[in-house]
Amino acid sequence: MSVLAVTGGVGGAKLAVGLAHLLTPDHLVFLVNTGDDFRHLGLHVSPDLDTLTYSLAGYACPDKGWGRIDETWSFLKTLQDFGGPTWFQLGDKDLALHVYRTQILSNGGSLTEATKDISEALGVKHSVLPCSDDPIATIVDSDVGQLSFQHYFVKHQCRPYVKGIQYEGANRARLNENLDMATISLVVICPSNPYLSVDPILAIPNFRNFLRNPDVPVLAVSPIVQGRALRGPTTKIMTELGSTVDNNTIAHHYEDILTGLIIDEGDAKDCDNVRDLGIECIARNTVMRTIEDRVRLARETLDFGNALSN
Amino acid sequence: MSVLAVTGGVGGAKLAVGLAHLLTPDHLVFLVNTGDDFRHLGLHVSPDLDTLTYSLAGYACPDKGWGRIDETWSFLKTLQDFGGPTWFQLGDKDLALHVYRTQILSNGGSLTEATKDISEALGVKHSVLPCSDDPIATIVDSDVGQLSFQHYFVKHQCRPYVKGIQYEGANRARLNENLDMATISLVVICPSNPYLSVDPILAIPNFRNFLRNPDVPVLAVSPIVQGRALRGPTTKIMTELGSTVDNNTIAHHYEDILTGLIIDEGDAKDCDNVRDLGIECIARNTVMRTIEDRVRLARETLDFGNALSN
């Protein structure tokens, strides 16, 4: 039996790395958001798949939370000299990944196949699966109009006011067919942005149905710590969407699928409210600064899952 | 009135640089082979346009005859780690040019527009015109089958035996419409490979017709020096096509369009044979090792053109 870790990019990848330290590739599968995927400079870019793959391979740039370590920037500097678009920063090594993936897709390969090739080449042993091989596009309805996710997130640096979020294509998308749901005994929703990184995955109809299976506990690690998200636009988006930035909102958000929620120990007082929704709740240190933090929180998450399964 | 310099890559670009030192952008236009253009890794690569543009901009790599100076190779090394194709060497900076051009073409721009943008960004003042905005593909009929030019030239390193050469699309291609033929008072065919670099241009019907205009002298600088070409596969191809590797063959090759041929001073004895074909001939030092060599030969070529015009 396997654990299925559902994750987006930076925040989720931290817990994902912890889980990968504890579980062998036979017992852990990653299901990754593709709603941020976009074409840029003719290339298929998959930011969350890449952040996770680089993180698992030990190639993630620790300072930035995206891109590769030991990156070089000749391409981008030269593109700038030509007046080309440089708002999305592509390092020379990262570019090779995008070009390689785009070639596989152009030759009729699937995103799953491309991701498998790439992660194997980077030495990743665990299965990293795009949530779907069908296109899903996270679209932000904002005060400056509809923006594709990367335009909102990177080009506009999350400045526009968010009025709503759509996951184009998700309702027609099929869950990655390489994922054998029958083998999954626990689902862990990693602490990625619920609206931007997790919901596009949950919007896939047959995945959401599966998560309602009472035999498989679904846990989430809350991305909220003491009233705010540790990084990214989660806090801002929750506020703009009219939600209180707290664990209660997170619990409500995942209410119909969640068995248990892990919140930060500083928010332990929230556990009672979460339990009132029929969701088990434990409080732990959810701030993952070091690899030890990631492995510890992963272990606590798995222990919680075991307790709920019994 | 302007000089039109017809050129391919490396050999021709040397004389082109010399001409650009002597003539202002108002009086010199380059018409460049696109038969070597190909798509690689999803990118539109134009080797001869790039070699010329880099040469005129002072960015050409002097050792290799292709690519940029001060190049870095992170992309290619990483692509190799992925198992991607590395037979065509793309440096990080060079890649920016190809990505930028491909974007312009993808957005509906022409190769002429892309080339203008790129050459201006690199500080090139002279007009660099692709011979046509219609696709032309040089195909080598070889003992291992039909090969596109770059596959013959780079991937197979010119090893296959050449049985014939075709210029696919050339007979339907329109001469670059930004070239105002009425302003051209002299045509110089630079010392590029006649079969691989010049003939694709000459195969454009309305260009070949123009070259038969008796009012506009057409000069060529022979790429043959004492029985061999200085670089590239010209010698090998001429032999395999059953031709003697000498200036007489070059003169015959261009016989129906040529007013005058400049051959190397070491081959001065060939002048009489060339003149027997009704082509004027002078012998000069055609080996261009230094920038001074290039400017000197360019001046001698222009002087020859002036003499023939009077």
Side-chain angles (χ1 to χ4, degrees), chain B residues 4-7 28-34 49 52-53 56 111-113 115-116 119 126-133 175-181 184 201:
Chain B
L4 177 68
V6 176
T7 183
L28 176 63
V29 176
F30 295 104
L31 191 67
V32 184
N33 174 41
T34 60
L49 282 168
L52 179 64
T53 308
L56 293 172
L111 186 59
T112 299
E113 289 162 345
T115 305
K116 185 167 189 288
S119 58
H126 292 82
S127 284
V128 174
L129 298 177
C131 58
S132 178
D133 280 322
L175 181 65
N176 192 311
E177 59 188 17
N178 293 272
L179 177 62
D180 182 359
M181 297 302 294
I184 303 301
I201 311 175

Side-chain angles (χ1 to χ4, degrees), chain A residues 223-244:
Chain A
I224 302 297
V225 176
Q226 301 188 41
R228 64 182 193 89
L230 292 178
R231 52 159 74 224
T234 307
T235 308
K236 179 173 179 289
I237 289 173
M238 289 176 78
T239 306
E240 290 169 0
L241 291 176
S243 299
T244 312

Side-chain angles (χ1 to χ4, degrees), chain A residues 41-42 72 74 82 95 100 103, chain B residues 41-42 72 74 82 95 100 103:
Chain A
L41 298 172
T72 64
S74 294
F82 286 128
L95 191 62
Y100 185 68
Q103 280 303 103
Chain B
L41 298 171
T72 65
S74 293
F82 286 127
L95 191 63
Y100 185 68
Q103 279 303 102

Side-chain angles (χ1 to χ4, degrees), chain A residues 1-21:
Chain A
M1 299 300 281
S2 291
V3 172
L4 178 67
V6 176
T7 184
V10 185
K14 290 174 188 275
L15 185 64
V17 166
L19 291 166
H21 267 72

